[in-house]
Amino acid sequence: MKKRIAGLLVMVLAVMLVPAALPQMEPTPVVYTYVSQFQVPRAHWAAYSEDTEKTVVPIVEKLTAEGTILSWSTFEQVIHTADGYTHGAAWSSTSISGLMKVLDEIRKGGPRPGQIAATKHEDLLMQTSMYRVGSGTPTYLRVVCSSAKADKPGEYAATLKKLLVPTFEEQVKKGVATYYSVDEQYVNTAPPSTRCVVNIPTTWRPWKSGFCVSRPCGKRWCDTSRCSRKG
């Protein structure tokens, strides 16, 4: 039995860079990603976003330009739930030390009012060697995390690679997606068998962009978290 956690987020700001030193064909180097999420009361949304733009964005921009991190993003949830997170930021590097340098710089400024107002907070440290970075303007970030059978996470990841990756590769080549990856935890804060599929389309009309996945039955399905049949 697999448990799924699906999230749709709007990319407020994002930069994704892949230096020439990183080959785009397999095998790919491991990339680590630090994700920091907050549940912010609605009355503080504007303040949180302003704090992030003033204090976090300059730091990640500087460290991206220096080559310390590969990419970064800030995001807001589009689909809200009673207990879910509303805002967050993420940054990626080929080293854990690169991730920690961002965190160290951010913490020098102390907690921001928007963070203090948050009622819940979560950090994730992920890793992936199954990813592709394309070009274009990122708009929405979709993440679907599943807890596979505890003794078969490798088989589950292999299935994802077989069924989903070819379609994601095609969409990156066509320019209707800027990124995809299959991530696992570097630090386990959920079941160790958890795997997360991340994709970033360039539009919130995936069915118009061919953002569907072929299934073994030969049908076309959109929205991989709910497997809704289209046509």
Side-chain angles (χ1 to χ4, degrees), residues 84-99:
Y85 298 99
T86 59
H87 297 73
W91 52 92
S92 299
S93 175
T94 55
S95 70
I96 299 297
S97 62
L99 299 182

Side-chain angles (χ1 to χ4, degrees), residues 179-201:
Y179 178 83
Y180 80 81
S181 67
V182 178
D183 293 16
E184 61 183 278
Q185 300 172 99
Y186 184 78
V187 175
N188 290 319
T189 55
S193 61
T194 299
R195 297 294 183 271
C196 296
V197 177
V198 181
N199 57 61
I200 305 178

